[in-house]
Amino acid sequence: MTLLMDEIALATARLAEAGVPSPRTDAEEIAAFVHGVRRGQLHTVRDADFDALFWEGVARREAREPLQHITGRAYFRYLSLEVGPGVFVPRPETEVVAGWAIDRLHEMDVASPVVVDLGTGSGAIALSIAQEVSLSQVHAVEVDPLAYGWAKRNIVEHGQGRVSLHPEDLADCLPELNGRVDLVISNPPYIPPGAVPRDPEVRDYDPSRALYGSGEDGLDEVRAVERTARRLLRPGGLVAVEHADQQGSSVYLEFTEERGWRDTRDHTDLAGRDRFVTARYGQE
């Protein structure tokens, strides 16, 4: 066994003791990042090339700083995105939401579907749709200056000229697209004020503006998404909005027939928890 693999074993034990959910994976990711190799190549790093910066990264992760802040990258579907302080780190749960949207867009009889991602953050959803739905025209909306900066970097790297970034508020954005959009998608802030996220990586490092929703129940931004989607969507267009696992019924009730919605559904994530609501607007 090489020196690096021995050090990874020691780091794994330290991270496990600190309560890190995936200690071996994180130790290997840090080692691969520091030494400039892939995880599958860690055994090829010579003892003479071991870099003590590995232990600096381990100490940061031991303190529950997100792995993505240490490596500067987050993986989302088929993308590797730049992330760091000031932007929400995309989660696997949101990949399910994006996947639903991508599947529905493939089913549409539309040559070049128009998509709006409200509150794009790092740009994860918008860029996944642009990458996986050929000829899609994706508009990413982000009002927060720090998050906007991260989204801009990722769109420059991955956007392929088909993602337009707009520094606007999701409540009144893109009036020029009223009635022309095929799909609206959003992972808005929805944690109720006063609630405390369990994971330190979320509680201490994700920006509060991306986590905590307004209003007593934290769902005012979801309500704004519903109003904006109603304004932007063409007849028959679709909306998908993420929520916390305890909020499914509340979000479902925002997309009512009285407001023009039909086929409203709540969907679960890979863990079987309620995760996002979808609906169709009006008649085609």
Side-chain angles (χ1 to χ4, degrees), residues 41-284:
Q41 300 172 319
L42 289 169
H43 66 283
T44 68
V45 176
R46 298 179 305 171
D47 290 356
D49 294 331
F50 174 77
D51 192 332
L53 286 175
F54 168 69
W55 283 107
E56 179 181 313
V58 170
R60 291 169 65 185
R61 189 69 187 102
E62 188 177 20
R64 303 301 295 271
E65 184 175 349
L67 173 68
Q68 296 86 349
H69 284 200
I70 298 168
T71 64
R73 287 276 168 179
Y75 297 98
F76 187 88
R77 291 182 68 84
Y78 304 106
L79 295 167
S80 172
L81 302 168
E82 286 192 48
V83 295
V87 71
F88 182 79
V89 174
R91 302 295 197 272
E93 295 88 347
T94 306
E95 295 187 49
V96 179
V97 188
W100 180 92
I102 288 164
D103 289 344
R104 300 294 80 75
L105 288 165
H106 283 151
E107 295 169 358
M108 287 183 182
D109 187 20
V110 179
S112 183
V114 179
V115 179
V116 173
D117 176 18
L118 298 173
T120 196
S122 65
I125 293 175
L127 287 165
S128 290
I129 291 173
Q131 182 185 68
E132 298 180 52
V133 182
S134 60
L135 302 181
S136 58
Q137 303 172 48
V138 185
H139 297 267
V141 174
E142 181 54 65
V143 71
D144 182 78
L146 288 176
Y148 180 93
W150 289 106
K152 185 175 182 179
R153 284 192 283 275
N154 287 318
I155 287 170
V156 168
E157 182 177 355
H158 299 287
Q160 304 168 325
R162 290 192 287 110
V163 178
S164 301
L165 182 61
H166 305 268
E168 301 178 35
D169 190 277
L170 61 82
D172 55 11
C173 63
L174 304 175
E176 67 275 16
L177 293 181
N178 285 352
R180 297 173 47 202
V181 176
D182 297 292
L183 184 141
V184 170
I185 188 167
S186 183
N187 178 16
Y190 49 68
I191 297 177
V196 180
R198 179 176 62 254
D199 296 334
E201 291 87 349
V202 177
R203 182 183 66 237
D204 299 336
Y205 291 95
D206 275 328
S208 59
R209 186 167 186 170
L211 296 176
Y212 297 99
S214 305
E216 187 174 344
D217 57 1
L219 293 178
D220 279 3
E221 282 73 17
V222 170
R223 297 182 181 100
V225 168
E226 185 275 329
R227 292 190 296 270
T228 298
R230 221 180 328 140
R231 170 171 58 81
L232 291 175
L233 288 173
R234 61 163 174 83
L238 298 171
V239 65
V241 58
E242 185 171 333
H243 58 71
D245 53 9
Q246 310 93 341
Q247 295 173 325
S249 59
S250 297
V251 175
Y252 180 95
L253 292 173
E254 293 298 326
F255 293 85
T256 62
E257 291 186 4
E258 291 78 9
R259 294 174 180 169
W261 299 105
R262 59 191 180 92
D263 301 332
T264 303
R265 300 285 185 274
D266 198 20
H267 304 258
T268 58
D269 58 23
L270 295 174
R273 296 171 296 196
D274 290 347
R275 182 55 57 194
F276 64 106
V277 164
T278 65
R280 185 181 303 275
Y281 183 64
Q283 301 291 329
E284 294 188 74

